[in-house]
C-alpha cells in the first residue's frame, strides 16, 4: 500500500478515506485516521466529524498552509464542510466584536450587518446540527445573541455609535490611569521601561549621572546639559545630536529618534539637573 504522496495525492487519499495513514515525502502534510495535519501536529488541517462531515481549519496564516487549505476544500467538496473560523466560539466572538466596532463607524452599515448575520447564521447552523448545545450557555454566546437581536431595532446604529463613544471614553480613562501609575513607578525606579500612548518620559538616574527615558535609553548627564542649553538658546534643533540620537523636530513635541518628549518633560528634567 502506497503511503508517500505528493501534496495533492496525500490530501485526496485522506479525503477518499481508503487508508488509515499517509504523508508527503517531506512530511509537510500527513494524516492519521480521521485527522490531517499541515507542518506538524500543532496545526490540524482538518478532521472528519463523521462519514459525511468534515471540519476544516481555515485559520492558517502562511501561504503554504493556505494552499493546503485550498486543496483540502476542493478534495472534500463531496462532504458537508464546516470551517473553524465559523464554528469556534472564541473566533466567532472575536470577529463579531470586530465587526461591531466597524459597524459603529460605518457610513454604509449594511455591509457590516450582512457580514455579522452571515457569520452568526453559520455558527448557529453548526451548533444546531452538531451535538454542542452547551455553547448557548457561554457568556460570549449570550452577548452575541443580544447584539445580533438588537440590530433589528430601528435605533440600533445610533445606539452602536453611542456605545463606541463610551468604549473610547473608557479606554482613554483606563490608559490615563495606567499612565499615571507607570510614570510614578518609573520615577520611583520600580520599572525601567513602559510605553503608553505616543509620548516618552524622563527621569534622573539613581546615581544622578544619567538622564533616562521610559524606553530604557540613558544619556550622560553632561551630554544632557549641553543639549538642554542648546534647546534654551532657540537654535534650530533639526539634525542636532544627543548621544547617538538625531533630533527630527522640535515643535509641540521634541522628536528624537523613536522618542516623543513633551515640553513638560523637558522642563521637569531641566529643573533636576
Amino acid at each position: 500500500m502506497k503511503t508517500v504522496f505528493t501534496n495533492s495525492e496525500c490530501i485526496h487519499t485522506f479525503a477518499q478515506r481508503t487508508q488509515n495513514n499517509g504523508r508527503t515525502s517531506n512530511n509537510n502534510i500527513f494524516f492519521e485516521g480521521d485527522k490531517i495535519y499541515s507542518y506538524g501536529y500543532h496545526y490540524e488541517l482538518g478532521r472528519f466529524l463523521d462519514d459525511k462531515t468534515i471540519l476544516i481549519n481555515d485559520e492558517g496564516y502562511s501561504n503554504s498552509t493556505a494552499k493546503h487549505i485550498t486543496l483540502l476544500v476542493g478534495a472534500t467538496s463531496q462532504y458537508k464542510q464546516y470551517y473553524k473560523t465559523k464554528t469556534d466560539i472564541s473566533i466567532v466572538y472575536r470577529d463579531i466584536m470586530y465587526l461591531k466596532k466597524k459597524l459603529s463607524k460605518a457610513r454604509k452599515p449594511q455591509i457590516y450587518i450582512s457580514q455579522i448575520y452571515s457569520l452568526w447564521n453559520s455558527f448557529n447552523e453548526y451548533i444546531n446540527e452538531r451535538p454542542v448545545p452547551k455553547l448557548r450557555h457561554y457568556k460570549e454566546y449570550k452577548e452575541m445573541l443580544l447584539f445580533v437581536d438588537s440590530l433589528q431595532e430601528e435605533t440600533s446604529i445610533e445606539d452602536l455609535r453611542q456605545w463606541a463613544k463610551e468604549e473610547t471614553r473608557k479606554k482613554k480613562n483606563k490608559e490615563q490611569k495606567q499612565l499615571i501609575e507607570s510614570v510614578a513607578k518609573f520615577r520611583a525606579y520600580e520599572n525601567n521601561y513602559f510605553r503608553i500612548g505616543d509620548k516618552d518620559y524622563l527621569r534622573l538616574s539613581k546615581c544622578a549621572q544619567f538622564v533616562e527615558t521610559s524606553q530604557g535609553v540613558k544619556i550622560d548627564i553632561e551630554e544632557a546639559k549641553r543639549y538642554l542649553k542648546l534647546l534654551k538658546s532657540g537654535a534650530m534643533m533639526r539634525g542636532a545630536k544627543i548621544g547617538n540620537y538625531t533630533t527630527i523636530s522640535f515643535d509641540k513635541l521634541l522628536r528624537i529618534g523613536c522618542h516623543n518628549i513633551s515640553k513638560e518633560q523637558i522642563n521637569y528634567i531641566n529643573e533636576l539637573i
Side-chain angles (χ1 to χ4, degrees):
M1 179 178 64
K2 183 178 179 180
T3 58
V4 180
F5 308 95
T6 65
N7 286 2
S8 180
E9 288 174 341
C10 188
I11 289 175
H12 277 84
T13 302
F14 167 73
Q16 293 302 309
R17 311 195 76 191
T18 54
Q19 61 189 69
N20 194 54
N21 61 82
R23 63 179 179 85
T24 57
S25 59
N26 55 9
N27 281 316
N28 283 353
I29 305 172
F30 61 94
F31 66 90
E32 296 174 357
D34 290 333
K35 300 176 183 179
I36 188 166
Y37 302 90
S38 174
Y39 293 104
Y41 290 107
H42 67 283
Y43 191 90
E44 184 180 294
L45 185 61
R47 68 164 68 189
F48 279 100
L49 302 177
D50 55 43
D51 290 339
K52 297 180 180 180
T53 313
I54 188 169
L55 176 62
I56 298 171
N57 183 357
D58 59 333
E59 205 184 18
Y61 299 106
S62 70
N63 289 333
S64 52
T65 297
K67 291 177 182 177
H68 297 170
I69 293 168
T70 300
L71 284 171
L72 184 61
V73 170
T76 59
S77 60
Q78 67 271 37
Y79 301 102
K80 172 67 177 179
Q81 294 172 323
Y82 287 113
Y83 298 91
K84 184 177 178 180
T85 56
K86 295 183 178 181
T87 59
D88 185 307
I89 190 168
S90 62
I91 296 173
V92 173
Y93 177 80
R94 177 199 69 195
D95 290 348
I96 283 184
M97 291 303 106
Y98 170 77
L99 291 169
K100 180 180 179 180
K101 290 181 180 178
K102 298 290 286 186
L103 178 60
S104 69
K105 302 174 183 178
R107 292 184 178 179
K108 297 181 179 179
Q110 194 55 47
I111 295 173
Y112 297 105
I113 291 173
S114 297
Q115 292 178 35
I116 290 165
Y117 277 133
S118 175
L119 185 53
W120 180 244
N121 290 337
S122 295
F123 179 66
N124 278 281
E125 177 188 353
Y126 173 73
I127 64 175
N128 287 335
E129 294 185 4
R130 306 305 304 177
V132 284
K134 290 183 179 180
L135 287 177
R136 290 189 175 85
H137 299 293
Y138 283 35
K139 65 178 182 179
E140 292 89 348
Y141 183 89
K142 293 177 181 179
E143 184 178 343
M144 288 189 290
L145 177 61
L146 286 172
F147 167 58
V148 174
D149 283 349
S150 74
L151 293 178
Q152 299 178 40
E153 302 292 333
E154 290 184 5
T155 60
S156 61
I157 302 302
E158 184 56 37
D159 289 343
L160 268 179
R161 288 180 178 139
Q162 291 302 318
W163 166 83
K165 288 179 182 178
E166 181 63 15
E167 288 297 302
T168 299
R169 184 189 67 79
K170 288 179 180 178
K171 183 179 179 182
K172 286 183 178 178
N173 288 345
K174 183 178 179 181
E175 286 184 352
Q176 184 62 26
K177 183 179 178 181
Q178 290 176 336
L179 178 60
I180 292 170
E181 292 175 352
S182 295
V183 171
K185 288 182 178 179
F186 178 65
R187 297 269 167 78
Y189 307 102
E190 294 176 17
N191 66 27
N192 296 317
Y193 178 94
F194 73 92
R195 192 76 191 271
I196 299 173
D198 61 351
K199 296 187 180 78
D200 299 287
Y201 296 82
L202 304 176
R203 74 182 181 192
L204 194 61
S205 65
K206 272 188 175 182
C207 65
Q209 296 301 306
F210 301 94
V211 170
E212 298 175 333
T213 79
S214 53
Q215 288 200 59
V217 171
K218 291 185 177 184
I219 299 294
D220 181 83
I221 192 75
E222 295 304 321
E223 175 70 356
K225 288 178 180 179
R226 179 197 65 78
Y227 188 82
L228 285 170
K229 186 176 180 180
L230 189 62
L231 273 178
K232 288 179 188 177
S233 72
M236 181 67 68
M237 297 304 297
R238 182 179 177 85
K241 295 280 189 178
I242 178 169
N244 296 321
Y245 298 87
T246 302
T247 306
I248 298 171
S249 63
F250 181 41
D251 187 8
K252 292 181 180 179
L253 293 174
L254 176 61
R255 297 178 61 216
I256 308 174
C258 59
H259 289 72
N260 298 314
I261 302 169
S262 69
K263 292 179 180 179
E264 290 78 8
Q265 290 300 302
I266 295 169
N267 292 334
Y268 169 80
I269 205 68
N270 187 54
E271 290 179 5
L272 292 179
I273 64 175

